Amino acid sequence: MSNDLTATTKTPIVTRPNQIVTIERHILERQTAYPEARGDLTQLLYDIALTGKLIGREVNKAGLVDILGETGITNVQGERVQKLDDYANECFIKTFDHGGLLCVMASEEEDEAVPIPSRFECGDYVLLFDPLDGSSNIDANVSVGSIWSIYKRKTASGPGTIEDLLRQGSEQVAAGYIAYGSSTMMVYTTGTGVSGFTLDPSIGEFLLSHPDIQMPKQGSIYSLNEGYRNLLFDSTARFLDYLQEEDAETGRPYSGRYIGSMVADVHRTLLYGGIFMYPASKKAPGGKLRLMYEANPMGFIMEQAGGMASTGSERILDVQATELHQRVPLYMGSEETVKLAIEFETGVR
Ligand code: AHM
Ligand code: MG
């Protein structure tokens, strides 16, 4: 081989575009399937993508916080540095409170419902969100994410009420998450399958990277916090034993993977199959994760990708919410694996 670089003209390697679909185009194409649609949901989804970009930009700078200044104080540029979860929460609220499309919001970061200020118009939709789930992981550069869920209002008009917020997950009209990881990804459903988009930071656009995600019917990975093993109830401990037993015919033992950041653990489960669980235990008898902000939106995604989401005895999307910050035990992932969990949890096995 010649070392003379001038001997051949090197063609730069450029990935040849296949089909480039921006998230905006994708959302718009879905809307045209509903000629009666006014475009309100379309606008809400655009705004979710925008919120994801704003939060992602700050998450990517997280490691620089110590250089730029501690949170809660003034940085070297004289700007006030906010905690990232407060920033993310405010980002959602400030993006959505004035658009005239929502009648009320609720956030995992707020004790009470978030009203639409009276100077703005109210619309037909309701938004619930966990602005930055897993934020305790940020210092270790572990992926975190935003999770969101949209419903049509129940009350007829005016400011939304708690009745508009306390719903069954099966009533969701759209839900999804934005993962801030090695790349920023938005995954969403409007009830006709699940699509995933990766942010190209150089052009600031989410591009369709995972069309029509379908998860494997059966997986070989389980995901839970095994540190609490001795605090698990017997049914869950037996399920875990089962997953760890050796049996080539049924593909066991399963591998264990646990990041401790729900968006990352669920995203892996969606792509590779298996089960993500946060069961009830002696430590957290009602489970830890929140029905309205975490279980319902992720449950909707799982089902739309061909998987399942259960409390261990009931379909997540059938649980009627009675409190904004209600917790539920959670098992979600590949259909066959979640069915197995239910068999153990309900005493069939
Ligand atoms: P958060 O909403 O306070 O961030 O807590 C939710 C997080 C999830 O991302 C993750 O699945 C879970 O808590 C991890 O909990 P644990 O540390 O008990 O395993
Ligand atoms: Mg959370």
Side-chain angles (χ1 to χ4, degrees), residues 32-55:
T32 51
Y34 303 92
E36 71 289 355
R38 291 190 318 218
D40 289 5
L41 184 59
T42 300
Q43 185 60 50
L44 286 172
L45 296 172
Y46 286 177
D47 287 345
I48 296 271
L50 170 67
T51 312
K53 288 183 208 171
L54 291 168
I55 299 173

Side-chain angles (χ1 to χ4, degrees), residues 38 79 164 180 193 215 260 340:
R38 291 190 318 218
E79 300 157 338
D164 295 305
Y180 312 110
M215 61 185 311
L340 261 175

Side-chain angles (χ1 to χ4, degrees), residues 1 12 33 40 42 70 143 169 193 203 212 222 235 257 268 272 280 291 316:
M1 208 185 5
D40 289 5
T42 300
E70 299 269 321
S143 300
I203 54 168
D212 195 18
Y222 70 84
S235 50
R257 297 277 186 279
R268 183 199 54 247
Y272 297 170
L291 175 64
I316 287 287

Side-chain angles (χ1 to χ4, degrees), residues 51-348:
T51 312
K53 288 183 208 171
L54 291 168
I55 299 173
R57 184 186 62 191
E58 294 306 306
V59 170
N60 289 340
K61 289 197 297 201
L64 297 170
V65 162
D66 286 345
I67 301 165
L68 300 176
E70 299 269 321
T71 54
I73 61 164
T74 305
N75 70 15
V76 287
Q77 279 87 37
E79 300 157 338
R80 193 104 183 123
V81 181
Q82 250 184 332
K83 271 180 68 194
L84 266 177
D85 30 17
D86 292 341
Y87 170 81
N89 190 45
E90 238 175 70
C91 231
F92 267 95
I93 295 175
K94 296 283 179 255
T95 305
F96 286 99
D97 68 356
H98 59 279
L101 302 174
L102 298 179
C103 63
V104 67
M105 291 181 263
S107 162
E108 206 209 59
E109 290 285 320
E110 306 274 349
D111 291 340
E112 308 287 340
V114 179
I116 301 300
S118 54
R119 61 186 186 282
F120 300 128
E121 272 180 44
C122 279
D124 288 339
Y125 289 91
V126 170
L127 172 69
L128 296 108
F129 52 90
D130 182 349
L132 202 59
D133 184 76
S135 54
S136 61
N137 289 298
I138 287 179
D139 287 347
N141 216 347
V142 169
S143 300
V144 291
S146 305
I147 315 172
W148 53 273
S149 180
I150 297 174
Y151 295 78
K152 268 249 157 139
R153 68 182 301 164
K154 270 188 115 171
T155 52
S157 59
T161 68
I162 192 76
E163 194 192 337
D164 295 305
L165 291 164
L166 297 181
R167 310 291 285 273
Q168 282 187 321
S170 55
E171 298 174 85
Q172 290 170 104
V173 293
Y177 59 86
I178 303 143
Y180 312 110
S182 44
S183 51
T184 298
M185 268 199 80
M186 173 151 152
V187 175
Y188 85 97
T189 182
T190 51
T192 53
V194 178
S195 310
F197 300 80
T198 303
L199 182 67
D200 181 336
S202 63
I203 54 168
E205 292 276 7
F206 278 108
L207 301 178
L208 182 62
S209 52
H210 296 65
D212 195 18
I213 300 174
Q214 281 294 312
M215 61 185 311
K217 286 277 167 236
Q218 182 160 12
S220 56
I221 301 173
Y222 70 84
S223 185
L224 90 164
N225 188 337
E226 266 188 278
Y228 306 141
R229 177 164 193 129
N230 293 338
L231 299 169
L232 293 177
F233 293 120
D234 196 43
S235 50
T236 319
R238 287 193 307 104
F239 177 49
L240 193 54
D241 287 342
Y242 174 86
L243 296 174
Q244 293 174 344
E245 264 165 28
E246 198 174 340
D247 179 26
E249 212 171 296
T250 49
R252 291 177 291 148
Y254 276 42
S255 290
R257 297 277 186 279
Y258 189 68
I259 298 167
S261 185
M262 187 189 190
V263 170
D265 280 317
V266 167
H267 187 60
R268 183 199 54 247
T269 306
L270 188 69
L271 297 183
Y272 297 170
I275 188 164
F276 166 76
M277 43 191 160
Y278 208 108
S281 67
K282 290 166 210 155
K283 178 180 164 68
K288 173 184 179 185
L289 299 177
R290 320 276 179 145
L291 175 64
M292 303 301 292
Y293 311 106
E294 291 159 338
N296 272 338
M298 293 307 206
F300 192 18
I301 293 270
M302 285 283 159
E303 285 197 5
Q304 285 295 317
M308 278 179 79
S310 169
T311 63
S313 57
E314 186 182 6
R315 180 185 176 220
I316 287 287
L317 300 193
D318 285 342
V319 178
Q320 172 62 51
T322 54
E323 285 173 45
L324 267 186
H325 294 279
Q326 182 170 339
R327 298 171 195 270
V328 273
L330 182 60
Y331 302 81
M332 54 172 57
S334 294
E335 186 184 327
E336 295 303 326
T337 321
V338 175
K339 278 186 180 160
L340 261 175
I342 295 170
E343 285 180 12
F344 277 92
E345 294 300 349
T346 55
V348 173

